[in-house]
Amino acid sequence: SSELTQDPAVSVALGQTVRITCQGDSLRGYYASWYQQKPGQAPIVVIYGKNNRPSGIPDRFSGSSSRNTASLTITGTQAEDEADYYCDSRDSSGNHVIFGGGTKLTVL
Amino acid sequence: QVQLQESGPGLVKPSQTLSLTCTVSGGSIRSGDYYWSWIRQHPGKGLEWIGYIYYSGSTYYNPSLKSRISISVDTSNNLFSLKLSSVTAADTALYYCARFYSTYYYESSGYTRGYFDYWGQGTLVTVSS
């Protein structure tokens, strides 16, 4: 299937660790990218590849992958991390982008 | 610093064609490493990839929208454009243009297949009579 499944909402206490997952057959053997979107803003990439952070992304963000599941982990979550997070991959053709449905992260 | 800026009408009538332009600054659209993309977001919903274009004109479209989409590139003016025909209220959304870094390499136990590294701020298009 060419779908990516994310939990709609996740919450985490300030300073704690949270894992956001993305599941789909298209992830077998491929890494997802992860995007953070804050209200009223365009998404920004926070993780790409196995576990690569663009310049300016704090090192509390990390990525991992196992079989058909990609994970974004935030260690020591900060209030400013409250946002929607999206994963992406490609469909079975490899030519078309697919996004997960997004996870709304609430920092308590 | 690469910047992308969407422009176009904010209101389109049903059955008409939505036309948007994305102007790229701070980098050449002719760079061989990138695909130039359109993505939309329905109000309160997630991201939907519309399609992208290479500077040579090669395109890939979302299969669910393919019959209504046309993406073109103007390398002389460093911009690319989206046309979406026969619009309905379901096409009301925030439309983003974005640069997709096209890469493909093996790392540890899997492949990396590119990612969207720069985005415009988005433009809201409402379909209404």
Side-chain angles (χ1 to χ4, degrees):
Chain A
S1 118
S2 294
E3 292 182 350
L4 296 176
T5 301
Q6 297 183 241
D7 291 328
V10 171
S11 61
V12 61
L14 185 68
Q16 296 303 300
T17 297
V18 63
R19 175 175 290 182
I20 298 169
T21 61
C22 173
Q23 193 169 29
D25 287 343
S26 67
L27 294 175
R28 293 184 186 274
Y30 298 96
Y31 296 111
S33 301
W34 289 94
Y35 303 88
Q36 176 194 68
Q37 185 181 33
K38 296 182 179 179
Q41 298 183 18
I44 61 168
V45 60
V46 294
I47 292 289
Y48 65 91
K50 178 177 170 63
N51 182 21
N52 301 295
R53 284 175 289 104
S55 173
I57 301 301
D59 61 5
R60 62 179 179 270
F61 289 87
S62 63
S64 61
S65 182
S66 177
R67 297 181 182 176
N68 70 334
T69 301
S71 299
L72 172 70
T73 299
I74 310 174
T75 304
T77 308
Q78 302 299 302
E80 61 263 33
D81 300 332
E82 186 164 283
D84 295 326
Y85 290 87
Y86 296 91
C87 59
D88 83 353
S89 183
R90 311 291 166 266
D91 70 359
S92 55
S93 76
N95 294 321
H96 306 130
V97 174
I98 51 176
F99 286 102
T103 297
K104 182 177 181 62
L105 176 65
T106 299
V107 181
L108 304 173
Chain B
Q1 176 81 350
V2 173
Q3 293 186 316
L4 295 90
Q5 179 66 58
E6 305 90 350
S7 59
L11 181 64
V12 182
K13 288 182 167 49
S15 80
Q16 293 190 343
T17 296
L18 179 161
S19 296
L20 296 174
T21 295
C22 181
T23 302
V24 180
S25 58
S28 174
I29 208 167
R30 291 191 183 92
S31 172
D33 293 331
Y34 306 104
Y35 279 78
W36 303 93
S37 315
W38 289 99
I39 295 158
R40 71 180 182 180
Q41 186 169 34
H42 294 102
K45 302 297 184 182
L47 302 172
E48 180 182 27
W49 176 73
I50 297 172
Y52 47 32
I53 189 166
Y54 195 58
Y55 77 94
S56 64
S58 297
T59 53
Y60 294 95
Y61 297 148
N62 185 324
S64 69
L65 299 169
K66 186 175 182 178
S67 64
R68 298 195 292 132
I69 298 171
S70 176
I71 298 177
S72 59
V73 65
D74 179 350
T75 56
S76 297
N77 291 299
N78 225 40
L79 58 84
F80 61 106
S81 300
L82 168 69
K83 290 188 186 300
L84 178 64
S85 64
S86 305
V87 297
T88 70
D91 295 308
T92 292
L94 186 59
Y95 285 77
Y96 292 102
C97 58
R99 190 178 80 169
F100 180 79
Y101 176 48
S102 179
T103 186
Y104 190 90
Y105 61 88
Y106 187 79
E107 183 179 19
S108 184
S109 57
Y111 286 92
T112 295
R113 294 187 286 188
Y115 54 95
F116 297 98
D117 60 353
Y118 286 96
W119 298 64
Q121 280 306 298
T123 187
L124 179 63
V125 179
T126 301
V127 178
S128 174
S129 56

